[in-house]
Amino acid sequence: MKNSKLINLKAFTYLLVIIFSIFITKNLNSIENKIIFKINGKAYTTLDYEMRVRYLDFVGSNRDLDEQTIIDDFISANIFYQYFINNKMQNNYSNKID
């Protein structure tokens, strides 16, 4: 009887640790990832912003750019991409190739 109570106590302790770690992880992810802007219903978050910063650093030494310049660049790049997608779908080049 004493061993079963000890096993139940260990299982309960492990369960509490797992539940507690899930709540901490959920809060950390929700704090970090905030929506910066939306284009056509697609949200761009701080994670996307960080990826853009890494990309700009990769293509050149852009460490001296301020946050607003990077956000403006990111917005304009995504607006152009949406424009490209919209025009690509409107143009049917298969008929023009023949």
Short mmCIF file of all heavy atoms in Angstrom, two decimals, residues 26-70:
data_model
loop_
_atom_site.label_atom_id
_atom_site.label_comp_id
_atom_site.label_asym_id
_atom_site.label_seq_id
_atom_site.Cartn_x
_atom_site.Cartn_y
_atom_site.Cartn_z
N LYS A 26 3.45 28.12 -23.53
CA LYS A 26 2.37 28.81 -24.24
C LYS A 26 2.46 30.31 -24.03
O LYS A 26 2.31 31.09 -24.98
CB LYS A 26 1.02 28.29 -23.77
CG LYS A 26 -0.15 28.89 -24.50
CD LYS A 26 -1.45 28.34 -24.01
CE LYS A 26 -2.60 29.01 -24.74
NZ LYS A 26 -3.89 28.58 -24.22
N ASN A 27 2.73 30.75 -22.82
CA ASN A 27 2.85 32.18 -22.55
C ASN A 27 4.05 32.78 -23.25
O ASN A 27 3.99 33.89 -23.75
CB ASN A 27 2.94 32.43 -21.04
CG ASN A 27 1.62 32.23 -20.34
OD1 ASN A 27 0.58 32.30 -20.98
ND2 ASN A 27 1.66 31.95 -19.06
N LEU A 28 5.16 32.08 -23.31
CA LEU A 28 6.35 32.60 -23.98
C LEU A 28 6.11 32.77 -25.47
O LEU A 28 6.50 33.77 -26.07
CB LEU A 28 7.55 31.68 -23.75
CG LEU A 28 8.12 31.66 -22.34
CD1 LEU A 28 9.24 30.64 -22.24
CD2 LEU A 28 8.61 33.04 -21.94
N ASN A 29 5.47 31.81 -26.10
CA ASN A 29 5.20 31.91 -27.53
C ASN A 29 4.21 33.01 -27.84
O ASN A 29 4.35 33.71 -28.83
CB ASN A 29 4.68 30.58 -28.08
CG ASN A 29 5.77 29.54 -28.18
OD1 ASN A 29 6.94 29.88 -28.27
ND2 ASN A 29 5.38 28.28 -28.15
N SER A 30 3.21 33.19 -27.02
CA SER A 30 2.21 34.21 -27.31
C SER A 30 2.75 35.61 -27.06
O SER A 30 2.32 36.56 -27.68
CB SER A 30 0.95 33.98 -26.47
OG SER A 30 1.24 34.12 -25.09
N ILE A 31 3.71 35.75 -26.18
CA ILE A 31 4.30 37.06 -25.92
C ILE A 31 5.21 37.47 -27.08
O ILE A 31 5.20 38.61 -27.52
CB ILE A 31 5.08 37.06 -24.59
CG1 ILE A 31 4.10 36.95 -23.42
CG2 ILE A 31 5.92 38.30 -24.45
CD1 ILE A 31 4.77 36.73 -22.08
N GLU A 32 5.98 36.54 -27.61
CA GLU A 32 6.95 36.86 -28.65
C GLU A 32 6.31 37.13 -30.00
O GLU A 32 6.78 37.98 -30.73
CB GLU A 32 7.93 35.69 -28.81
CG GLU A 32 8.96 35.62 -27.73
CD GLU A 32 9.95 34.52 -27.99
OE1 GLU A 32 10.14 34.15 -29.16
OE2 GLU A 32 10.53 34.03 -27.03
N ASN A 33 5.29 36.43 -30.37
CA ASN A 33 4.77 36.47 -31.72
C ASN A 33 3.54 37.36 -31.80
O ASN A 33 2.42 36.91 -31.59
CB ASN A 33 4.44 35.04 -32.18
CG ASN A 33 4.51 34.91 -33.66
OD1 ASN A 33 4.96 35.80 -34.34
ND2 ASN A 33 4.08 33.77 -34.15
N LYS A 34 3.75 38.63 -32.12
CA LYS A 34 2.65 39.58 -32.24
C LYS A 34 2.49 39.98 -33.70
O LYS A 34 3.45 40.03 -34.46
CB LYS A 34 2.92 40.81 -31.40
CG LYS A 34 2.92 40.53 -29.92
CD LYS A 34 3.11 41.79 -29.13
CE LYS A 34 3.08 41.45 -27.65
NZ LYS A 34 3.24 42.63 -26.81
N ILE A 35 1.27 40.30 -34.09
CA ILE A 35 0.99 40.71 -35.46
C ILE A 35 1.46 42.14 -35.65
O ILE A 35 1.13 43.03 -34.86
CB ILE A 35 -0.51 40.59 -35.76
CG1 ILE A 35 -0.94 39.13 -35.70
CG2 ILE A 35 -0.84 41.19 -37.12
CD1 ILE A 35 -2.42 38.91 -35.85
N ILE A 36 2.25 42.37 -36.71
CA ILE A 36 2.75 43.70 -37.03
C ILE A 36 1.83 44.38 -38.03
O ILE A 36 1.43 45.52 -37.84
CB ILE A 36 4.19 43.63 -37.59
CG1 ILE A 36 5.12 43.00 -36.58
CG2 ILE A 36 4.67 45.01 -37.96
CD1 ILE A 36 6.52 42.76 -37.10
N PHE A 37 1.47 43.66 -39.10
CA PHE A 37 0.56 44.19 -40.11
C PHE A 37 -0.09 43.04 -40.85
O PHE A 37 0.32 41.89 -40.72
CB PHE A 37 1.29 45.13 -41.08
CG PHE A 37 2.37 44.47 -41.89
CD1 PHE A 37 2.10 43.95 -43.15
CD2 PHE A 37 3.67 44.38 -41.41
CE1 PHE A 37 3.08 43.34 -43.90
CE2 PHE A 37 4.66 43.77 -42.17
CZ PHE A 37 4.37 43.27 -43.41
N LYS A 38 -1.14 43.38 -41.62
CA LYS A 38 -1.85 42.39 -42.44
C LYS A 38 -1.98 42.92 -43.85
O LYS A 38 -2.18 44.11 -44.06
CB LYS A 38 -3.26 42.13 -41.89
CG LYS A 38 -3.30 41.40 -40.60
CD LYS A 38 -4.74 41.13 -40.19
CE LYS A 38 -4.80 40.37 -38.90
NZ LYS A 38 -6.17 40.02 -38.53
N ILE A 39 -1.86 42.01 -44.82
CA ILE A 39 -2.09 42.33 -46.23
C ILE A 39 -3.02 41.26 -46.78
O ILE A 39 -2.69 40.07 -46.74
CB ILE A 39 -0.77 42.37 -47.04
CG1 ILE A 39 0.15 43.45 -46.51
CG2 ILE A 39 -1.06 42.57 -48.52
CD1 ILE A 39 1.51 43.48 -47.18
N ASN A 40 -4.16 41.69 -47.28
CA ASN A 40 -5.17 40.77 -47.82
C ASN A 40 -5.52 39.66 -46.84
O ASN A 40 -5.67 38.51 -47.22
CB ASN A 40 -4.71 40.17 -49.14
CG ASN A 40 -4.72 41.16 -50.26
OD1 ASN A 40 -5.39 42.18 -50.19
ND2 ASN A 40 -3.97 40.89 -51.31
N GLY A 41 -5.63 39.99 -45.57
CA GLY A 41 -6.02 39.02 -44.57
C GLY A 41 -4.89 38.13 -44.07
O GLY A 41 -5.09 37.35 -43.15
N LYS A 42 -3.70 38.22 -44.65
CA LYS A 42 -2.57 37.42 -44.18
C LYS A 42 -1.78 38.25 -43.17
O LYS A 42 -1.36 39.36 -43.46
CB LYS A 42 -1.67 37.01 -45.34
CG LYS A 42 -0.54 36.12 -44.88
CD LYS A 42 0.32 35.63 -46.00
CE LYS A 42 1.39 34.74 -45.41
NZ LYS A 42 2.49 34.51 -46.29
N ALA A 43 -1.59 37.69 -41.99
CA ALA A 43 -0.91 38.40 -40.91
C ALA A 43 0.60 38.17 -40.99
O ALA A 43 1.06 37.07 -41.28
CB ALA A 43 -1.43 37.92 -39.58
N TYR A 44 1.35 39.22 -40.75
CA TYR A 44 2.80 39.16 -40.67
C TYR A 44 3.19 39.51 -39.24
O TYR A 44 2.79 40.54 -38.71
CB TYR A 44 3.44 40.12 -41.67
CG TYR A 44 3.14 39.72 -43.10
CD1 TYR A 44 2.03 40.21 -43.77
CD2 TYR A 44 3.95 38.81 -43.76
CE1 TYR A 44 1.75 39.83 -45.07
CE2 TYR A 44 3.67 38.42 -45.06
CZ TYR A 44 2.57 38.93 -45.70
OH TYR A 44 2.29 38.53 -46.97
N THR A 45 3.96 38.62 -38.62
CA THR A 45 4.23 38.72 -37.19
C THR A 45 5.67 39.11 -36.92
O THR A 45 6.46 39.30 -37.85
CB THR A 45 3.95 37.37 -36.53
OG1 THR A 45 4.84 36.39 -37.08
CG2 THR A 45 2.51 36.94 -36.74
N THR A 46 5.98 39.21 -35.64
CA THR A 46 7.35 39.54 -35.25
C THR A 46 8.32 38.44 -35.67
O THR A 46 9.49 38.73 -35.90
CB THR A 46 7.44 39.76 -33.73
OG1 THR A 46 6.89 38.63 -33.05
CG2 THR A 46 6.71 41.01 -33.32
N LEU A 47 7.86 37.21 -35.78
CA LEU A 47 8.71 36.14 -36.27
C LEU A 47 9.09 36.40 -37.73
O LEU A 47 10.25 36.23 -38.12
CB LEU A 47 8.01 34.79 -36.13
CG LEU A 47 8.80 33.57 -36.59
CD1 LEU A 47 10.05 33.40 -35.75
CD2 LEU A 47 7.93 32.33 -36.50
N ASP A 48 8.13 36.82 -38.54
CA ASP A 48 8.42 37.18 -39.93
C ASP A 48 9.38 38.36 -39.99
O ASP A 48 10.27 38.40 -40.85
CB ASP A 48 7.13 37.54 -40.68
CG ASP A 48 6.16 36.37 -40.73
OD1 ASP A 48 6.60 35.25 -40.99
OD2 ASP A 48 4.96 36.61 -40.50
N TYR A 49 9.20 39.30 -39.09
CA TYR A 49 10.10 40.46 -39.02
C TYR A 49 11.54 40.03 -38.72
O TYR A 49 12.48 40.49 -39.36
CB TYR A 49 9.60 41.44 -37.96
CG TYR A 49 10.57 42.54 -37.65
CD1 TYR A 49 10.69 43.64 -38.50
CD2 TYR A 49 11.39 42.50 -36.52
CE1 TYR A 49 11.59 44.66 -38.23
CE2 TYR A 49 12.28 43.51 -36.25
CZ TYR A 49 12.38 44.58 -37.10
OH TYR A 49 13.27 45.58 -36.83
N GLU A 50 11.69 39.11 -37.77
CA GLU A 50 13.03 38.62 -37.43
C GLU A 50 13.67 37.90 -38.62
O GLU A 50 14.87 38.03 -38.86
CB GLU A 50 12.98 37.69 -36.22
CG GLU A 50 12.66 38.40 -34.93
CD GLU A 50 13.70 39.44 -34.56
OE1 GLU A 50 14.90 39.22 -34.80
OE2 GLU A 50 13.30 40.50 -34.04
N MET A 51 12.87 37.14 -39.36
CA MET A 51 13.38 36.47 -40.56
C MET A 51 13.81 37.50 -41.60
O MET A 51 14.81 37.32 -42.29
CB MET A 51 12.33 35.52 -41.13
CG MET A 51 11.99 34.37 -40.22
SD MET A 51 13.40 33.31 -39.87
CE MET A 51 13.60 32.51 -41.44
N ARG A 52 13.08 38.60 -41.73
CA ARG A 52 13.43 39.66 -42.67
C ARG A 52 14.74 40.34 -42.26
O ARG A 52 15.58 40.65 -43.10
CB ARG A 52 12.31 40.69 -42.76
CG ARG A 52 12.53 41.77 -43.79
CD ARG A 52 12.53 41.20 -45.18
NE ARG A 52 12.69 42.25 -46.16
CZ ARG A 52 12.67 42.05 -47.45
NH1 ARG A 52 12.48 40.84 -47.93
NH2 ARG A 52 12.84 43.03 -48.28
N VAL A 53 14.92 40.56 -40.96
CA VAL A 53 16.16 41.15 -40.46
C VAL A 53 17.34 40.24 -40.78
O VAL A 53 18.40 40.70 -41.24
CB VAL A 53 16.07 41.42 -38.94
CG1 VAL A 53 17.42 41.79 -38.36
CG2 VAL A 53 15.05 42.51 -38.65
N ARG A 54 17.17 38.94 -40.58
CA ARG A 54 18.24 37.98 -40.92
C ARG A 54 18.54 38.00 -42.42
O ARG A 54 19.69 37.94 -42.83
CB ARG A 54 17.84 36.57 -40.50
CG ARG A 54 17.86 36.35 -39.03
CD ARG A 54 17.50 34.93 -38.71
NE ARG A 54 17.25 34.78 -37.29
CZ ARG A 54 16.68 33.73 -36.76
NH1 ARG A 54 16.29 32.73 -37.53
NH2 ARG A 54 16.48 33.67 -35.46
N TYR A 55 17.49 38.08 -43.23
CA TYR A 55 17.69 38.13 -44.68
C TYR A 55 18.45 39.38 -45.09
O TYR A 55 19.39 39.32 -45.87
CB TYR A 55 16.34 38.07 -45.40
CG TYR A 55 16.43 38.39 -46.86
CD1 TYR A 55 16.94 37.45 -47.75
CD2 TYR A 55 16.03 39.63 -47.36
CE1 TYR A 55 17.04 37.74 -49.10
CE2 TYR A 55 16.14 39.93 -48.70
CZ TYR A 55 16.65 38.97 -49.56
OH TYR A 55 16.76 39.27 -50.89
N LEU A 56 18.05 40.53 -44.55
CA LEU A 56 18.73 41.78 -44.90
C LEU A 56 20.18 41.76 -44.44
O LEU A 56 21.06 42.30 -45.12
CB LEU A 56 17.99 42.97 -44.29
CG LEU A 56 16.65 43.30 -44.93
CD1 LEU A 56 15.95 44.40 -44.15
CD2 LEU A 56 16.81 43.69 -46.39
N ASP A 57 20.45 41.13 -43.33
CA ASP A 57 21.83 41.01 -42.86
C ASP A 57 22.62 40.06 -43.76
O ASP A 57 23.81 40.25 -43.98
CB ASP A 57 21.86 40.53 -41.41
CG ASP A 57 23.24 40.61 -40.82
OD1 ASP A 57 23.94 41.60 -41.09
OD2 ASP A 57 23.62 39.69 -40.07
N PHE A 58 21.94 39.04 -44.30
CA PHE A 58 22.60 38.08 -45.18
C PHE A 58 22.99 38.70 -46.51
O PHE A 58 24.08 38.45 -47.03
CB PHE A 58 21.67 36.87 -45.41
CG PHE A 58 22.20 35.88 -46.39
CD1 PHE A 58 23.24 35.04 -46.07
CD2 PHE A 58 21.64 35.79 -47.66
CE1 PHE A 58 23.73 34.12 -46.97
CE2 PHE A 58 22.12 34.87 -48.57
CZ PHE A 58 23.17 34.03 -48.23
N VAL A 59 22.11 39.52 -47.10
CA VAL A 59 22.38 40.09 -48.42
C VAL A 59 23.34 41.27 -48.38
O VAL A 59 23.86 41.68 -49.41
CB VAL A 59 21.09 40.49 -49.16
CG1 VAL A 59 20.23 39.28 -49.43
CG2 VAL A 59 20.32 41.55 -48.41
N GLY A 60 23.57 41.83 -47.23
CA GLY A 60 24.50 42.95 -47.11
C GLY A 60 24.62 43.38 -45.67
O GLY A 60 23.93 42.86 -44.79
N SER A 61 25.48 44.33 -45.42
CA SER A 61 25.63 44.80 -44.05
C SER A 61 24.57 45.85 -43.76
O SER A 61 24.74 47.03 -44.03
CB SER A 61 27.03 45.37 -43.81
OG SER A 61 27.21 46.52 -44.58
N ASN A 62 23.45 45.41 -43.27
CA ASN A 62 22.31 46.28 -43.01
C ASN A 62 22.02 46.38 -41.52
O ASN A 62 20.89 46.60 -41.11
CB ASN A 62 21.07 45.75 -43.74
CG ASN A 62 21.23 45.83 -45.24
OD1 ASN A 62 21.61 46.87 -45.75
ND2 ASN A 62 20.95 44.75 -45.93
N ARG A 63 23.02 46.23 -40.69
CA ARG A 63 22.82 46.28 -39.25
C ARG A 63 22.47 47.68 -38.75
O ARG A 63 21.90 47.83 -37.69
CB ARG A 63 24.04 45.77 -38.52
CG ARG A 63 24.27 44.29 -38.70
CD ARG A 63 25.31 43.79 -37.72
NE ARG A 63 25.56 42.38 -37.95
CZ ARG A 63 24.99 41.42 -37.24
NH1 ARG A 63 24.17 41.71 -36.28
NH2 ARG A 63 25.28 40.16 -37.50
N ASP A 64 22.80 48.70 -39.53
CA ASP A 64 22.55 50.06 -39.08
C ASP A 64 21.15 50.55 -39.42
O ASP A 64 20.80 51.68 -39.10
CB ASP A 64 23.60 51.01 -39.66
CG ASP A 64 23.64 50.97 -41.18
OD1 ASP A 64 23.17 49.98 -41.76
OD2 ASP A 64 24.16 51.93 -41.78
N LEU A 65 20.33 49.71 -40.05
CA LEU A 65 18.95 50.11 -40.38
C LEU A 65 18.10 50.12 -39.11
O LEU A 65 18.22 49.23 -38.26
CB LEU A 65 18.34 49.14 -41.39
CG LEU A 65 18.97 49.11 -42.78
CD1 LEU A 65 18.34 48.03 -43.62
CD2 LEU A 65 18.84 50.46 -43.44
N ASP A 66 17.23 51.10 -39.01
CA ASP A 66 16.35 51.14 -37.84
C ASP A 66 15.11 50.28 -38.09
O ASP A 66 14.86 49.81 -39.20
CB ASP A 66 15.97 52.58 -37.49
CG ASP A 66 15.18 53.27 -38.59
OD1 ASP A 66 15.28 52.84 -39.74
OD2 ASP A 66 14.49 54.25 -38.28
N GLU A 67 14.35 50.06 -37.04
CA GLU A 67 13.21 49.16 -37.09
C GLU A 67 12.15 49.63 -38.08
O GLU A 67 11.60 48.82 -38.84
CB GLU A 67 12.60 49.03 -35.69
CG GLU A 67 11.43 48.08 -35.63
CD GLU A 67 10.87 47.92 -34.23
OE1 GLU A 67 11.47 48.45 -33.27
OE2 GLU A 67 9.82 47.28 -34.11
N GLN A 68 11.85 50.91 -38.12
CA GLN A 68 10.82 51.43 -39.01
C GLN A 68 11.21 51.26 -40.48
O GLN A 68 10.36 50.92 -41.32
CB GLN A 68 10.53 52.90 -38.71
CG GLN A 68 9.32 53.44 -39.44
CD GLN A 68 8.05 52.67 -39.10
OE1 GLN A 68 7.79 52.34 -37.94
NE2 GLN A 68 7.24 52.37 -40.10
N THR A 69 12.48 51.44 -40.81
CA THR A 69 12.94 51.24 -42.19
C THR A 69 12.78 49.79 -42.61
O THR A 69 12.34 49.50 -43.73
CB THR A 69 14.41 51.67 -42.32
OG1 THR A 69 14.54 53.02 -41.86
CG2 THR A 69 14.89 51.55 -43.74
N ILE A 70 13.10 48.88 -41.71
CA ILE A 70 12.96 47.45 -42.02
C ILE A 70 11.49 47.09 -42.19
O ILE A 70 11.13 46.35 -43.12
CB ILE A 70 13.63 46.59 -40.93
CG1 ILE A 70 15.14 46.85 -40.92
CG2 ILE A 70 13.34 45.12 -41.15
CD1 ILE A 70 15.86 46.21 -39.76
#
